[in-house]
Amino acid sequence: MNPEGILLNIQKHVSLNEEEKAHLDTLFAIESFAKQHTILEQGRLCRKLFYVEKGSLRAFNGNQYGKESTIMFAIKDWWITDMYAFTNQTKALLSIETLEHCLLRSISFDVLEHLLLTMPKMERLFRILFQKAYVREQLRVLDNISLSTEERYLQFLSKYPQIAKKVTQKQIASYLGVTPEFLSSVKRK
Amino acid sequence: MNPEGILLNIQKHVSLNEEEKAHLDTLFAIESFAKQHTILEQGRLCRKLFYVEKGSLRAFNGNQYGKESTIMFAIKDWWITDMYAFTNQTKALLSIETLEHCLLRSISFDVLEHLLLTMPKMERLFRILFQKAYVREQLRVLDNISLSTEERYLQFLSKYPQIAKKVTQKQIASYLGVTPEFLSSVKRK
DNA sequence: CGTCTATTTGAATGTACTCAAAAGCGGTGG
DNA sequence: CCACCGCTTTTGAGTACATTCAAATAGACG
């Protein structure tokens, strides 16, 4: 059991005894992926929820013209999946790719559903995580509808400096919802 | 106990026995507000979470120049608060006002926290609600960064036809993040 | 009926995109 | 270690999208 990994992170929100830790450790599979690997492809069934122990990823939607919109980045200690498709067990709206070598923990929909029903602490954990995730997305919506591109860019840099270091300008542009050319001209300002 | 109200809605997600229903019914206060009443004012402490039994509301952020950005509307069976400020028990980023006469059920932060700790079914309920809310906001972010104003307007109409009937053009514009003048010209198309 | 606000319209300006091309940069192979 | 390749980033010109401001029109409400 990695003392720096998923178990320690879970314990930031709920307490676990040794038995529970051992049990959870068996439920989350360990998966390792090379840089530039697509772990979920848009259109496919989304079966797993991932926790990032090492590395970084990007979730994005591609439209019919090839334009990509980045929904989220994930780095160490973040959870990532296409939550819409995972929740409804339907075709993914998003693709998720590694930006570097990644060490992930994964849990399938069925195993998670069973875990939630049998371990109230996990309902609490995910209630807390989803509550924070909801607040985060709502604040991003507020940024999107109320701030200028320049303000949103600066906000992104100050809010996620660790992510900003790992991703390209083009990927940040697709997260902000502008073209790379325009983001470049905003920086020039 | 209103058979059409909050208890029935909760039971769409978790089962409740008579005792639990009676208990919950006492925890959610009944509040009635006139049209155009501000139930939460930006800058004030956000103490309560509301459930809408009747009526409709709007949550919005006003900036220093008086420009308003609408974060959400709520109609019958929706929950509403400034979730950021409620979660952290800090000053509200949002104001919430009634759009018509409203009948609400409310629960304070402290009572809810205690309820979550003592009644696992409520952790499950709110886990489910926050999960859906997270997905909804994430899809809205995707719309915001990937669609044109016209597409987002049509999406809003088809996704929330009941809301569209109750709100002004100006309020829809502030939800989409454009000026009322521009929304008007988009409709003219 | 009169007042207040929402909606529409239009002109002028600023913001953002498209397309094309040049410049920068990292990785790979010779 | 250097040269080349592919991709990212920058730059610029032309066009489309969106805002501001002002004024006219339409609707809602007391």
Side-chain angles (χ1 to χ4, degrees):
Chain A
M1 283 187 231
N2 172 7
E4 292 277 334
I6 191 172
L7 294 175
L8 190 72
N9 191 263
I10 289 175
Q11 289 175 97
K12 287 183 179 167
H13 301 108
V14 297
S15 62
L16 298 174
N17 61 36
E18 291 307 312
E19 190 184 355
E20 289 167 333
K21 283 196 267 186
H23 178 56
L24 287 177
D25 200 46
T26 66
L27 293 183
F28 288 92
I30 297 175
E31 303 199 41
S32 178
F33 296 100
K35 181 174 178 171
Q36 293 278 53
H37 182 81
T38 297
I39 67 170
L40 172 66
E41 194 173 359
Q42 202 172 330
R44 297 286 187 82
L45 188 62
C46 178
R47 304 180 171 284
K48 298 177 190 172
L49 170 64
F50 297 93
Y51 176 89
V52 185
E53 296 219 331
K54 197 155 172 290
S56 55
L57 307 94
R58 180 174 79 102
F60 61 95
N61 170 269
N63 73 5
Q64 71 260 46
Y65 306 112
K67 179 186 156 199
E68 292 183 357
S69 301
T70 298
I71 291 299
M72 72 179 292
F73 297 106
I75 55 178
K76 185 172 175 348
D77 295 333
W78 286 55
W79 296 83
I80 188 168
T81 189
D82 177 339
M83 193 55 69
Y84 168 78
F86 181 77
T87 300
N88 303 300
Q89 284 294 285
T90 57
K91 295 194 194 309
L93 298 174
L94 308 179
S95 291
I96 303 179
E97 64 177 19
T98 61
L99 299 176
E100 58 192 318
H101 174 267
C102 283
L103 196 62
L104 308 179
R105 302 297 298 256
S106 73
I107 189 167
S108 73
F109 180 80
D110 295 339
V111 173
L112 178 60
E113 283 291 295
H114 181 259
L115 178 62
L116 291 171
L117 287 168
T118 54
M119 195 171 165
K121 281 179 184 178
M122 289 298 104
E123 284 283 15
R124 180 170 177 82
L125 170 69
F126 282 99
R127 190 271 296 168
I128 293 168
L129 294 177
F130 282 123
Q131 185 168 346
K132 291 163 83 97
Y134 168 53
V135 167
R136 198 173 56 237
E137 294 305 301
Q138 194 166 275
L139 291 175
R140 185 172 170 200
V141 167
L142 180 56
D143 282 358
N144 281 337
I145 66 177
S146 68
L147 302 182
S148 67
T149 297
E150 180 180 0
E151 288 168 324
R152 287 187 294 124
Y153 176 63
L154 295 173
Q155 177 108 32
F156 176 79
L157 294 183
S158 68
K159 210 163 181 173
Y160 306 113
Q162 335 82 315
I163 293 175
K165 287 185 303 193
K166 298 195 173 195
V167 303
T168 66
Q169 208 76 359
K170 189 183 172 187
Q171 290 167 341
I172 295 176
S174 82
Y175 178 92
L176 298 176
V178 298
T179 60
E181 293 92 337
F182 182 61
L183 181 56
S184 172
S185 82
V186 167
K187 289 181 63 181
R188 191 181 354 172
K189 62 162 172 306
Chain B
M1 284 185 231
N2 172 6
E4 293 276 334
I6 190 171
L7 294 175
L8 190 71
N9 191 264
I10 289 175
Q11 289 174 99
K12 287 184 178 166
H13 301 108
V14 296
S15 62
L16 298 174
N17 61 36
E18 292 305 313
E19 190 184 353
E20 288 167 334
K21 282 196 267 186
H23 179 56
L24 286 177
D25 200 47
T26 66
L27 293 183
F28 288 92
I30 297 175
E31 302 199 41
S32 178
F33 296 100
K35 182 174 179 172
Q36 293 278 51
H37 182 81
T38 297
I39 67 170
L40 173 65
E41 194 173 358
Q42 202 172 328
R44 297 287 186 81
L45 189 61
C46 178
R47 305 180 171 284
K48 297 177 190 172
L49 171 64
F50 297 94
Y51 175 88
V52 186
E53 296 219 331
K54 197 154 173 292
S56 54
L57 306 94
R58 180 173 78 104
F60 60 95
N61 170 269
N63 73 5
Q64 70 259 46
Y65 306 111
K67 179 186 156 199
E68 291 183 357
S69 301
T70 297
I71 290 300
M72 73 180 290
F73 298 105
I75 56 178
K76 185 173 174 348
D77 295 333
W78 286 53
W79 296 84
I80 188 168
T81 189
D82 177 339
M83 193 54 71
Y84 168 78
F86 181 76
T87 300
N88 304 301
Q89 284 294 286
T90 57
K91 294 193 194 311
L93 298 175
L94 308 178
S95 290
I96 302 179
E97 64 177 20
T98 61
L99 299 176
E100 57 192 319
H101 174 267
C102 283
L103 196 63
L104 309 178
R105 302 298 298 256
S106 73
I107 189 167
S108 73
F109 180 80
D110 295 339
V111 173
L112 179 60
E113 283 290 297
H114 181 259
L115 178 61
L116 291 171
L117 287 168
T118 55
M119 195 171 166
K121 281 179 184 177
M122 290 297 105
E123 284 283 14
R124 181 170 176 82
L125 170 69
F126 282 99
R127 190 271 297 168
I128 293 168
L129 294 177
F130 281 123
Q131 185 168 346
K132 292 164 83 97
Y134 167 52
V135 167
R136 198 173 56 237
E137 294 305 302
Q138 194 167 275
L139 291 175
R140 185 172 171 201
V141 167
L142 180 56
D143 282 359
N144 281 338
I145 66 177
S146 68
L147 302 182
S148 68
T149 297
E150 180 181 359
E151 289 169 323
R152 288 186 293 123
Y153 176 62
L154 295 172
Q155 177 108 32
F156 176 79
L157 293 184
S158 68
K159 210 163 182 173
Y160 305 113
Q162 334 82 315
I163 293 175
K165 287 185 302 194
K166 298 194 173 196
V167 304
T168 66
Q169 208 78 354
K170 189 183 173 188
Q171 290 167 341
I172 294 176
S174 83
Y175 178 92
L176 298 177
V178 298
T179 60
E181 294 92 337
F182 181 62
L183 181 57
S184 173
S185 81
V186 166
K187 289 181 63 182
R188 191 179 356 170
K189 62 164 169 311

